[in-house]
Amino acid sequence: MQINRLVPAGLLAATVVLLGGCSNVGYYSQAVGGHVRLMLAREPIEKLLADEATPDELRGKLRTLVDARQFAIERLQLPDNDSYGSYVETGRDAVTWNVVAAEEFSLKARTWCFPVAGCVSYRGYFDKADAEQYAARLADENYDVSVGGASAYSTLGWFDDPVLDTMLRGGDVRYVGTLFHELAHQVLYIKDDSNFNEAFATFVEQQGMRLWLAEREEGERIEIYNASQARVVEFLALLKQTRDALQTIYAQELPEEAMRQAKQAAFDDMRSDYESLKQEWGGYGGYDNWFKRELNNARLVAVSTYRRDVPAFQMMYDEAGQDMSAFFDLARQVGKLPYEERRRRIAEYDAAAIELDSQ
């Protein structure tokens, strides 16, 4: 599990102009500078496909993405523009590193707000050392922190975003899904609501993958994909169980040391429950690396941002007759609601999804 988003660099560029000499300009400048370097390094994918010197593995992946991009336009009604029509070889482990933070005894993510981009629950850096340095400062302030590498990059359509080598690691389900996810953000992005934005894009990614595999007549792979998504749901249920336990602990008026001990016990229980879950999965250990790192509040809220409300968007999709354009219209209507009313509508859809699953 990793965070895939960066505060859109185009919006950050505007923010730099608005803030002038503000002390945050150093942060904004690194974001804009990193973005500009990526834009200058772009190579047209069509040119790479025509170049005999292009490695066969890269050529195959780029061809797959070209086909998936056309599918996204025709079948998923995703934007028909020049995004992901170029490629950048970064040679990096990740394109950005994102810092997430939460107070020691809270599961509410700290947010960072920008005059143009709005408020988001992470702070992105193009340099890993800068991200780790900022995370260390937050840790010194007694925050739980998490630093995660991001493979994808989006400016929400402000610029023609490239395909990155970091996106292409792993199989086609991973990088085609990432393409659908990032393009979905260009369809709908609600200022100051990371939960809504990421759940919406995640649903489009999942539904798009099933339709894409079906069009390629790869029924067996749909079953494999659905099984992997079922494991994701069970993993997230484990995290929710832990969050619920922690919420109960944090609501108690305990001495700080007793609170820390109870918090640690909750995370120890989560590790133990994960081992039991692996046995149910036949030994599948796809989340082992996630559990090897320190467990804390920030790690939990980082994952919940992406997945918590996905069932709500499934219910919207069904309400829209499983028509993608009608679904987008309905999601936009919900997105335009005032925040509290929007959260109530999402909660109603989530509850309906739970009731449906229990039948």
Side-chain angles (χ1 to χ4, degrees):
M1 285 285 178
Q2 59 185 356
I3 302 171
N4 289 343
R5 310 292 297 138
L6 172 69
V7 174
L11 301 184
L12 287 180
T15 304
V16 170
V17 174
L18 288 175
L19 294 184
C22 174
S23 61
N24 281 326
V25 167
Y27 168 70
Y28 299 135
S29 296
Q30 65 83 29
V32 175
H35 165 71
V36 169
R37 286 191 293 274
L38 284 178
M39 296 299 103
L40 293 176
R42 291 175 296 178
E43 296 181 83
I45 288 177
E46 289 185 1
K47 178 180 176 181
L48 290 169
L49 292 176
D51 188 346
E52 295 182 357
T54 300
D56 289 343
E57 181 180 2
L58 175 59
R59 186 192 309 277
K61 290 183 176 183
L62 292 178
R63 279 178 175 158
T64 297
L65 276 180
V66 169
D67 292 343
R69 183 73 179 87
Q70 193 61 35
F71 174 86
I73 295 168
E74 295 175 357
R75 290 292 308 280
L76 304 182
Q77 307 301 308
L78 292 174
D80 183 3
N81 54 33
D82 291 330
S83 294
Y84 308 108
S86 60
Y87 174 73
V88 174
E89 185 81 28
T90 69
R92 294 155 59 100
D93 294 331
V95 62
T96 61
W97 284 265
N98 298 299
V99 179
V100 177
E103 293 181 1
E104 183 181 9
F105 303 126
S106 171
L107 290 172
K108 182 178 180 180
R110 173 170 173 168
T111 57
W112 289 267
C113 298
F114 308 94
V116 179
C119 298
V120 293
S121 57
Y122 53 85
R123 186 168 164 118
Y125 290 86
F126 277 90
D127 187 275
K128 185 178 182 181
D130 288 344
E132 291 177 338
Q133 183 178 33
Y134 185 68
R137 284 172 50 194
L138 292 174
D140 288 342
E141 296 173 20
N142 217 28
Y143 279 97
D144 282 8
V145 295
S146 174
V147 178
S151 62
Y153 179 88
S154 175
T155 60
L156 307 183
W158 282 62
F159 297 89
D160 297 333
D161 297 322
V163 173
L164 306 170
D165 56 345
T166 51
M167 292 171 59
L168 297 182
R169 293 170 189 151
D172 56 359
V173 166
R174 181 179 183 275
Y175 56 79
V176 170
T178 298
L179 175 71
F180 295 160
H181 185 107
E182 299 304 333
L183 286 171
H185 281 303
Q186 296 187 19
V187 171
L188 180 59
Y189 182 87
I190 305 301
K191 188 176 179 179
D192 301 339
D193 199 340
S194 297
N195 287 318
F196 183 98
N197 295 327
E198 295 305 336
F200 169 78
T202 297
F203 171 76
V204 174
E205 171 189 341
Q206 293 175 352
Q207 189 59 28
M209 284 306 310
R210 295 184 180 102
L211 294 173
W212 184 69
L213 291 171
E215 179 162 289
R216 292 159 63 96
E217 298 182 349
E218 298 187 79
E220 290 184 1
R221 295 189 70 198
I222 294 177
E223 293 180 8
I224 294 171
Y225 181 75
N226 286 338
S228 72
Q229 293 305 304
R231 286 193 295 267
V232 171
V233 170
E234 292 185 56
F235 168 71
L236 293 175
L238 173 60
L239 268 59
K240 182 181 184 303
Q241 175 182 306
T242 305
R243 287 199 304 272
D244 290 345
L246 289 170
Q247 292 281 27
T248 299
I249 293 168
Y250 297 157
Q252 299 176 33
E253 296 182 2
L254 298 174
E256 284 194 359
E257 189 54 38
M259 190 91 77
R260 291 190 184 99
Q261 291 176 3
K263 174 183 176 181
Q264 184 59 53
F267 282 120
D268 290 343
D269 288 345
M270 184 169 71
R271 289 187 189 277
S272 177
D273 290 342
Y274 171 63
E275 292 302 319
S276 298
L277 196 56
K278 283 172 59 177
Q279 296 305 311
E280 296 177 18
W281 293 340
Y284 174 82
Y287 296 98
D288 285 358
N289 286 336
W290 195 89
F291 278 92
K292 286 178 181 177
R293 296 173 56 195
E294 176 192 2
L295 299 180
N296 61 31
N297 296 333
R299 301 285 309 288
L300 290 181
V301 299
V303 176
S304 67
T305 296
Y306 271 68
R307 298 279 187 163
R308 182 174 65 187
D309 295 325
V310 171
F313 288 100
Q314 176 68 61
M315 297 304 294
M316 288 187 216
Y317 181 68
D318 293 341
E319 183 178 319
Q322 298 190 352
D323 177 270
M324 197 61 76
S325 291
F327 163 66
F328 288 160
D329 288 341
L330 178 56
R332 289 189 186 99
Q333 291 173 20
V334 175
K336 289 178 181 177
L337 296 172
Y339 179 79
E340 294 300 333
E341 186 176 352
R342 186 190 318 144
R343 292 312 310 168
R344 284 196 295 271
R345 285 287 299 277
I346 292 292
E348 290 171 358
Y349 280 119
D350 280 332
I354 293 171
E355 182 178 355
L356 184 63
D357 287 342
S358 66
Q359 293 177 357

